[in-house]
Amino acid sequence: QVHVVQSGGGLVQSGGSLRIDCAASGDGVSLNAMAWYRQTPGKPRALVARITNDDDTSYATSVEGRFTISRGNAKNTMFLQMNSLKPEDTALYYCHADSFNPRGLYWGQGTQVTVSP
């Protein structure tokens, strides 16, 4: 079993910055790619950014150039640095972990990010 815990986020004014963190833990856990998704009421969860084990990254067009995804040296932690935040970035952000030991896909509990105009 993989336990995924998120931290960070909160309320910020437009143009400000926030960081959200994700940590995956479990006996012998080893991960493939990790990703951040976000969801607003009435809409499906949408991919924000993704990072592989080789630190290859990809971003949604709406956040490219403003958000930076990274992983810790142990590869079981992941971060999302969000700069130049806009009100439309307001959402519940979820960490997603693709684990190959044990096999499975895991989600964090969600972290609220609110950007005021």
Side-chain angles (χ1 to χ4, degrees), residues 7 29-30 44-45 52 59-60 72 76 82 84 93 100:
S7 60
V29 65
S30 189
R45 207 167 286 189
T52 70
Y59 297 90
N76 287 355
M82 302 178 287
S84 301
Y93 284 71
F100 64 84

Side-chain angles (χ1 to χ4, degrees), residues 69-105:
I69 189 171
S70 60
R71 290 176 78 162
N73 289 336
K75 300 298 183 182
N76 287 355
T77 55
M78 177 178 65
F79 315 99
L80 186 68
Q81 178 64 42
M82 302 178 287
N83 298 329
S84 301
L85 281 160
K86 305 174 181 180
E88 51 263 43
D89 294 317
T90 295
L92 198 55
Y93 284 71
Y94 291 94
C95 171
H96 181 263
D98 177 358
S99 175
F100 64 84
N101 185 34
R103 297 281 293 179
L105 303 176

Side-chain angles (χ1 to χ4, degrees), residues 7 12 19 22 27 29 32 34-36 41 43-44 46 52 55 59 61-63 70 76-77 83 100 102 104 112 115:
S7 60
V12 69
R19 193 180 92 169
C22 174
D27 289 340
V29 65
N32 287 317
M34 298 182 76
W36 289 103
K43 293 188 177 181
T52 70
D55 290 334
Y59 297 90
T61 303
S62 59
V63 307
S70 60
N76 287 355
T77 55
N83 298 329
F100 64 84
Q112 181 66 39
V115 185

Side-chain angles (χ1 to χ4, degrees), residues 24-72:
S25 61
D27 289 340
V29 65
S30 189
L31 304 178
N32 287 317
M34 298 182 76
W36 289 103
Y37 286 74
R38 66 187 181 187
Q39 188 171 26
T40 54
K43 293 188 177 181
R45 207 167 286 189
L47 180 65
V48 175
R50 183 177 182 270
I51 184 166
T52 70
N53 248 352
D54 297 323
D55 290 334
D56 290 329
T57 59
S58 57
Y59 297 90
T61 303
S62 59
V63 307
E64 192 147 21
R66 300 186 298 121
F67 290 12
T68 302
I69 189 171
S70 60
R71 290 176 78 162

